[in-house]
Amino acid sequence: PKIYNNGTVGFHHGSLIDIPLTSITLRGLLEDAKQWCKDNPKELVLIFHSELVHEAGYNGLSSQLYIEVDDDDDYGDGDNDDGVAEEYHANADDGDDDTVIIDDAFYAYEYKDDQQEQEQQNYEYIYSGIAALKNVYDEKGVPYYSCEKLGGLNVSQAMELADLSKYGGKGYLLAVDRHDIYASFCGKANWAQDQLVTCYSSASNYNNDEHDGPDQNNANIPSYVQCTDRKNSGVAKLNDLKTYVTASANNDPSDSPYELGPPEDESYYPFNQIQGLWQVDATSVQIGLLHASTLLDDNRISKVNEEMVKMAYEGQFNTINIFAIDNVALNGNAMFSVLRNQCGQSVLKDNSDEPTCGRDLIMPKMETNRTLPIFWNIVLVVVYGSLVIMVTVMLFQAFRLRNKGPQDHRLVCHGHII
């Protein structure tokens, strides 16, 4: 999310601080999400935040606010684990030693009696960015918690927290992050920078003992490799991505952000993300622009979603928690079906009353592209071609009738018609 100076909460990708807000806002997203939950009242929807930024930069996020919280709210222990220095200034104006100022928020730190202490416990310090997000979620009636609230819960328990009927809605919707200064992701992202697999890369960097990259001595071969080359370098690219996602799920547990694999501390990392998509770096962007390509085109041509679905169906992942893919409109439903019908989750039963799951079910049919079948293309050509011919004939007839119209208005001068 991105907080603008006017208070609007929008979205960004990366550190696009100077990109103005154009269309998608948190309020608009929540309206769409609540409508989807209403239409699909049995599904649980989670909204994950990460990399919160402010239009004003770091200073727009570093301040803390002292707000009243409900018993169900959870904002952590209030520790400043992001290196934000708290400045305590005695309020010398009225000589009240019981009041200090922390980042422009008042805090009474000496309790007069038990009642005051009890009232004090209903207040918490939270970062201003988290407060801005919370205001939107409260306004839209959507629960918003910190990661600790979901640690160790099963799906049924998470659905109790996400129940929108408590807020006058329908379905299950929940937003979650660490409630730190950057609203960090609750899970292990498995984003190891030195192991990322991009769609486009330099052939000089790709040639090693593990790959048969292009021969740099051959001037007719491009100096880069690409995932969209399904017959040559794209095969190696896809194999690298499959290795990457497999390691994200099957390696030994580790909490190190530089190592792929599930988390070791599941209370701190309630989620483990598998990034089954082409990553992006400066080189891949430059080469992609030369190809006039887009993320959606790369995803479609390389058939990466289809390969991820096959891997999940064949049980190549020891654990699946969050599976991230691009262009979910292409084979996203197939992935959803495969994940939903993993053994242990499927409710389908065969004649023996045993759950039918996994590879006992037929793999969903894959959609290879988003283009119309050739039959409908022919139909469209015939229809539009007929319309063009009809319009052309009508215009020609109109032109002829105009030339054959009444001739009385003509004048004859010296034998010439004018």
Side-chain angles (χ1 to χ4, degrees):
K2 176 179 179 180
I3 302 175
Y4 293 79
N5 289 332
N6 63 4
T8 301
V9 181
F11 295 94
H12 75 107
H13 188 274
S15 300
L16 304 180
I17 304 291
D18 298 325
I19 301 299
L21 177 64
T22 55
S23 58
I24 301 178
T25 64
L26 180 56
R27 286 182 172 85
L29 172 68
L30 292 181
E31 287 294 337
D32 293 340
K34 289 177 66 177
Q35 182 61 49
W36 193 93
C37 290
K38 183 178 180 180
D39 297 337
N40 302 271
K42 295 183 179 181
E43 302 295 341
L44 171 63
V45 178
L46 299 180
I47 298 177
F48 295 103
H49 301 150
S50 66
E51 300 183 17
L52 174 67
V53 297
H54 196 288
E55 189 174 5
Y58 176 81
N59 292 334
L61 301 175
S62 60
S63 61
Q64 288 186 308
L65 302 177
Y66 192 55
I67 68 171
E68 183 177 6
V69 296
D70 298 330
D71 292 338
D72 291 336
D73 288 337
D74 182 12
Y75 296 102
D77 55 10
D79 293 340
N80 268 338
D81 54 0
D82 296 283
V84 180
E86 294 184 354
E87 297 183 3
Y88 294 78
H89 303 284
N91 189 343
D93 294 339
D94 54 9
D96 185 2
D97 294 334
D98 294 336
T99 304
V100 298
I101 301 177
I102 305 177
D103 290 329
D104 300 327
F106 289 91
Y107 169 49
Y109 64 90
E110 290 187 3
Y111 305 120
K112 301 300 183 182
D113 49 41
D114 293 340
Q115 180 180 0
Q116 182 180 357
E117 181 176 359
Q118 179 64 33
E119 293 176 353
Q120 190 67 35
Q121 293 175 355
N122 293 330
Y123 289 80
E124 292 282 354
Y125 279 105
I126 64 173
Y127 289 104
S128 58
I130 301 301
L133 294 174
K134 183 181 184 299
N135 287 338
V136 179
Y137 282 108
D138 288 347
E139 174 189 329
K140 294 299 181 181
V142 175
Y144 172 39
Y145 294 110
S146 66
C147 303
E148 291 79 5
K149 197 75 172 181
L150 272 68
L153 299 185
N154 56 32
V155 174
S156 177
Q157 293 169 327
M159 293 181 75
E160 292 182 8
L161 293 178
D163 190 356
L164 294 181
S165 64
K166 301 176 183 178
Y167 306 89
K170 186 177 181 181
Y172 301 93
L173 177 62
L174 174 68
V176 61
D177 60 42
R178 293 203 177 281
H179 281 29
D180 57 9
I181 192 170
Y182 298 117
S184 301
F185 175 51
C186 287
K188 185 177 179 182
N190 281 307
W191 192 87
Q193 187 170 6
D194 60 340
Q195 302 179 56
L196 297 179
V197 182
T198 62
C199 181
Y200 302 94
S201 60
S202 171
S204 59
N205 296 332
Y206 205 69
N207 276 328
N208 52 45
D209 296 337
E210 299 179 1
H211 302 98
D212 295 328
D215 183 3
Q216 296 301 299
N217 296 323
N218 189 338
N220 296 325
I221 297 180
S223 59
Y224 50 81
V225 292
Q226 58 194 79
C227 67
T228 54
D229 183 6
R230 293 282 299 169
K231 295 183 179 180
N232 296 298
S233 60
V235 177
K237 279 284 188 183
L238 193 56
N239 288 336
D240 284 350
L241 181 58
K242 292 165 70 174
T243 301
Y244 186 96
V245 297
T246 302
S248 300
N250 300 353
N251 277 4
D252 293 334
S254 172
D255 291 335
S256 172
Y258 307 106
E259 297 179 7
L260 298 176
E264 186 173 8
D265 185 355
E266 295 182 355
S267 61
Y268 185 77
Y269 293 110
F271 304 97
N272 183 50
Q273 185 178 40
I274 301 174
Q275 299 202 29
L277 47 86
W278 300 116
Q279 302 290 346
V280 177
D281 60 15
T283 301
S284 66
V285 170
Q286 292 174 355
I287 300 176
L289 290 176
L290 291 176
H291 282 256
S293 184
T294 66
L295 291 176
L296 298 182
D297 289 336
D298 297 339
N299 175 280
R300 175 179 56 83
I301 298 173
S302 66
K303 298 184 178 181
V304 61
N305 287 2
E306 180 179 344
E307 292 297 329
M308 294 299 108
V309 173
K310 290 179 180 178
M311 293 182 69
Y313 175 78
E314 293 170 356
Q316 297 187 31
F317 304 111
N318 293 342
T319 57
I320 300 177
N321 195 220
I322 298 177
F323 209 116
I325 60 175
D326 282 336
N327 194 15
V328 294
L330 182 60
N331 294 320
N333 284 335
M335 175 63 81
F336 179 78
S337 176
V338 169
L339 297 180
R340 173 58 59 86
N341 290 299
Q342 291 286 310
C343 291
Q345 298 194 57
S346 176
V347 296
L348 297 176
K349 294 185 178 181
D350 56 21
N351 296 331
S352 62
D353 290 334
E354 292 294 331
T356 303
C357 59
R359 300 186 69 177
D360 292 336
L361 299 171
I362 299 175
M363 186 170 65
K365 184 178 179 180
M366 300 294 178
E367 186 177 3
T368 57
N369 58 64
R370 304 290 295 177
T371 59
L372 290 174
I374 187 171
F375 170 78
W376 292 110
N377 283 321
I378 295 175
V379 171
L380 289 176
V381 170
V382 171
V383 171
Y384 284 107
S386 300
L387 290 176
V388 170
I389 294 174
M390 291 174 60
V391 172
T392 303
V393 171
M394 292 174 63
L395 291 175
F396 179 74
Q397 293 292 342
F399 180 76
R400 290 184 59 188
L401 291 174
R402 177 179 179 275
N403 291 336
K404 291 182 179 181
Q407 307 294 317
D408 297 341
H409 64 282
R410 298 185 180 186
L411 296 178
V412 178
C413 295
H414 304 291
H416 297 283
I417 299 178
I418 59 173

